Amino acid sequence: MLAEALNKFNDFFGDTHLAQGKSNIGFLPKLSNELPYRYYDTKDRIYYNENSIGILYEISPVTGIYANHEQILTQLIDSGISNKAKFQILNWSSPDIERVLEIWQSKNKGKPYSDLAQKQVEYFRKANFKPIFPDLPLVVRNQKLYMAIWLDLQKKNVTKAQIKELLKIQGKVKKSFKDMGIYAQLLEPEGLIAFVAEIFDVGLEKKSVKWREGDFINHQICSEKQEFRISDTIIEAGKECAISAFKIKEYPENFKSFEMSRLLGDEDNPNLQISCPFLQVLTAKRRNKASELSSIQGKFISNIEDSSKKKSLF
């Protein structure tokens, strides 16, 4: 179970499994040692991990899309991202709502609006972990959306062709989101460190993050004093935070857009609501259509030959 949990964390933002064969560990003085992130190229804006190289985007979440958005995204996945690459969509339901509240409060100036806004901010500030209403267990979250694209390395060697391929993908991703009018930017190491640290340090005091370029990125994640204990089902990070991973074995092939909330929980059924901060991860790899087509054609020709032989028997 431990190997599965560590592999799950290594999968975030793309990397191969590093934790195989470590299932006998029950205590980790520093979980960041198990994370794959190493260096960041400020010129090409590429991450160099233990077993991969990749790029990372932070995307502004949208509540709906236009008709042409589906076509643009399909083209991006179908031709913009090569079949050698893997990509991952991450939706983080963050309890860090302070920045959102500050922006909202700044828009309400002049009395009595500023006084009312201050009272409202104080009220909602407590709602990131506790329900807003006593009889309705709803909490406030800051939804953050990320997209990671990476190439696995062979024997940990990076080739010029791989770097060129990632830079090409960068350009196509940028153009696709620009055409849709959706804000998307490459995430710098400070953003990656803050994001991963927030998962493991939920509820702890947030401090400004400054990336140290000469040090491994994974060594800059999580507090030096923070310890982690691992059981069969959870990773305990301190006394107030526990992390558990769930895998969806079967995902609905089709579902109505108004039923998407059912995939997260149910606002009418308290037993199905997710009140804790949660992270949804969808990892995919585009199929090689050329090789699949060749395989299909080969099978088709083989079937015709088999049929001809059977006919000749009669």
Side-chain angles (χ1 to χ4, degrees):
M1 180 65 188
L2 171 60
E4 292 180 3
L6 293 179
N7 285 337
K8 175 61 66 177
F9 293 127
N10 286 326
D11 280 344
F12 292 164
F13 302 127
D15 205 69
T16 55
H17 294 170
L18 303 177
Q20 293 177 355
K22 296 184 181 180
S23 58
N24 59 332
I25 303 176
F27 172 77
L28 286 175
K30 193 175 181 184
L31 188 61
S32 59
N33 290 335
E34 304 297 327
L35 299 176
Y37 324 118
R38 296 297 181 262
Y39 297 108
Y40 179 74
D41 186 338
T42 55
K43 179 178 177 294
D44 293 333
R45 309 183 77 178
I46 291 175
Y47 285 93
Y48 288 77
N49 303 323
E50 179 72 11
N51 295 292
S52 67
I53 59 172
I55 53 180
L56 175 62
Y57 287 88
E58 182 174 9
I59 304 168
S60 177
V62 293
T63 54
I65 60 174
Y66 294 102
N68 67 325
H69 286 183
E70 182 179 354
Q71 181 180 1
I72 294 173
L73 287 173
T74 300
Q75 290 176 348
L76 172 62
I77 296 172
D78 196 41
S79 59
I81 300 176
S82 69
N83 52 41
K84 297 178 182 178
K86 299 175 184 177
F87 68 94
Q88 189 174 74
I89 307 296
L90 303 102
N91 177 35
W92 170 233
S93 180
S94 171
D96 185 11
I97 60 175
E98 191 62 33
R99 179 58 179 163
V100 178
L101 295 178
E102 288 176 356
I103 294 174
W104 183 83
Q105 186 177 5
S106 66
K107 304 297 181 181
N108 294 271
K109 298 179 180 179
K111 293 181 178 297
Y113 304 107
S114 59
D115 294 337
L116 290 172
Q118 179 63 33
K119 292 290 186 181
Q120 290 171 329
V121 165
E122 291 175 358
Y123 178 76
F124 281 108
R125 185 175 284 129
K126 302 175 183 179
N128 59 345
F129 281 103
K130 297 181 180 180
I132 303 175
F133 309 107
D135 56 342
L136 192 60
L138 298 178
V139 293
V140 180
R141 287 284 181 265
N142 180 15
Q143 297 294 336
K144 298 180 180 181
L145 188 63
Y146 301 90
M147 181 178 186
I149 305 170
W150 71 94
L151 298 169
D152 290 332
L153 301 180
Q154 298 296 328
K155 297 182 179 179
K156 301 185 180 181
N157 294 323
V158 181
T159 64
K160 291 182 179 180
Q162 287 178 312
I163 296 175
K164 185 178 180 180
E165 189 169 357
L166 268 183
L167 293 176
K168 184 179 179 181
I169 293 173
Q170 266 189 32
K172 292 187 176 182
V173 171
K174 180 180 179 180
K175 183 180 184 303
S176 296
F177 282 104
K178 184 178 180 181
D179 291 343
M180 290 187 292
I182 297 176
Y183 175 78
Q185 69 170 0
L186 286 162
L187 195 67
E188 301 290 334
E190 286 86 354
L192 171 62
I193 294 170
F195 171 75
V196 181
E198 184 182 5
I199 295 177
F200 297 121
D201 288 350
V202 170
L204 299 182
E205 182 182 356
K206 298 295 181 298
K207 297 181 180 179
S208 59
V209 176
K210 188 175 181 180
W211 169 49
R212 302 187 301 274
E213 189 171 351
D215 193 6
F216 280 174
I217 294 176
N218 60 309
H219 289 170
Q220 302 174 50
I221 299 174
C222 299
S223 169
E224 292 285 346
K225 298 179 180 180
Q226 191 172 11
E227 297 179 347
F228 297 87
R229 295 185 179 276
I230 301 177
S231 66
D232 292 338
T233 56
I234 64 173
I235 294 179
E236 297 180 9
K239 296 180 179 180
E240 298 181 356
C241 178
I243 305 166
S244 184
F246 301 89
K247 183 181 295 184
I248 301 176
K249 294 183 178 180
E250 295 183 4
Y251 203 74
E253 183 175 351
N254 296 298
F255 52 87
K256 298 180 177 65
S257 59
F258 62 84
E259 292 181 344
M260 291 180 67
S261 62
R262 302 289 181 179
L263 302 177
L264 305 179
D266 191 334
E267 65 275 12
D268 298 322
N269 187 345
N271 295 323
L272 298 179
Q273 291 168 352
I274 303 176
S275 59
C276 62
F278 64 91
L279 176 70
Q280 291 177 294
V281 182
L282 172 65
T283 305
K285 184 179 186 299
R286 189 171 68 83
R287 293 179 176 177
N288 189 336
K289 289 188 175 181
S291 62
E292 286 188 354
L293 182 60
S294 299
S295 176
I296 292 172
Q297 290 174 338
K299 290 179 180 178
F300 179 71
I301 293 172
S302 177
N303 289 336
I304 291 177
E305 292 177 348
D306 290 342
S307 299
S308 301
K309 290 179 181 178
K310 288 179 181 178
K311 287 181 179 179
S312 65
L313 297 177
F314 296 95

